[in-house]
Amino acid sequence: GVAGRRGGLAFSNGAGGGVLGVGGQQQMDGMQIRDMYSAVVGKQLAEDLLPLAERQGYANFESRLRSKTGKAFSVSQVIVVHRDSEGNVTHYSTIARDVSEYKRLIEHYLLSDKVFTFTGEAIMITNSKNRLLSVNEAFTTLTGYTLAEVKGKDPKMLAAGNHGADFYMAMW
């Protein structure tokens, strides 16, 4: 998107307009950059990020934008400062990428990692060729084998011979 020196939204491409809920130039008229952020983020933008961009020519950051309907979403954003021949700021342009799904996946991964790490149940992870990739601490406690000892091996190594093939087929 493009905004004037005073923060008025001047242009947004189709993708940006769709995410922000503005369908054309008429819907952007009178819209300010600050309208797309919470009061706290808007203040940070005005006091910290735009001055940083003016000093170094750009600012790269993550924040949360709000659509015209008020829906908030996480973005990775770059603001670039444009100047006239005398060095005065004429306008800002920005590229913002919705990273909401990425953040959701990271949170899910971190939660899964906590379950894997802190559960009392022994867990082993294998690849498609049935080779051990990882084991948790509970696995080591139960079996006595560390990851270094089992990584790359077939889980069949754990078979004590006390059960028939049907037992192991049912387990897998």
Side-chain angles (χ1 to χ4, degrees):
V2 177
R5 174 69 178 107
R6 298 182 197 269
L9 192 57
F11 171 79
S12 180
N13 66 12
V19 169
L20 293 172
V22 293
Q25 188 62 45
Q26 285 181 310
Q27 289 186 350
M28 284 189 286
D29 285 345
M31 202 171 166
Q32 296 288 309
I33 292 174
R34 69 177 173 268
D35 297 335
M36 296 182 296
Y37 297 95
S38 69
V40 171
V41 175
K43 183 178 181 191
Q44 181 187 21
L45 182 71
E47 294 178 2
D48 300 326
L49 297 171
L50 289 178
L52 173 66
E54 289 178 13
R55 281 192 308 277
Q56 64 185 28
Y58 71 96
N60 188 7
F61 58 97
E62 281 193 17
S63 68
R64 291 187 55 81
L65 285 179
R66 276 192 322 220
S67 70
K68 198 168 184 178
T69 63
K71 178 185 173 203
F73 53 97
S74 297
V75 294
S76 174
Q77 190 168 1
V78 177
I79 293 179
V80 178
V81 177
H82 300 270
R83 300 178 185 276
D84 63 19
S85 60
E86 294 161 8
N88 300 311
V89 174
T90 58
H91 63 283
Y92 304 95
S93 61
T94 187
I95 300 170
R97 190 177 99 190
D98 185 345
V99 293
S100 301
E101 180 66 9
Y102 171 77
K103 287 188 161 289
R104 188 192 68 72
L105 290 171
I106 292 295
E107 288 174 15
H108 180 76
Y109 167 78
L110 293 173
L111 179 61
S112 298
D113 183 61
K114 285 181 183 177
V115 170
F116 179 80
T117 302
F118 297 111
T119 186
E121 302 294 323
I123 299 173
M124 59 182 165
I125 299 173
T126 63
N127 65 16
S128 62
K129 295 179 181 171
N130 205 35
R131 298 294 173 199
L132 286 162
L133 299 175
S134 189
V135 298
N136 67 353
E137 188 63 34
F139 175 92
T140 300
T141 301
L142 180 69
T143 66
Y145 290 107
T146 65
L147 175 60
E149 293 172 306
V150 299
K151 190 170 186 174
K153 296 188 175 162
D154 190 309
K156 289 179 186 175
M157 65 168 281
L158 299 171
N162 296 333
H163 301 285
D166 291 343
F167 172 84
Y168 293 106
M169 289 302 288
M171 184 169 69
W172 299 114

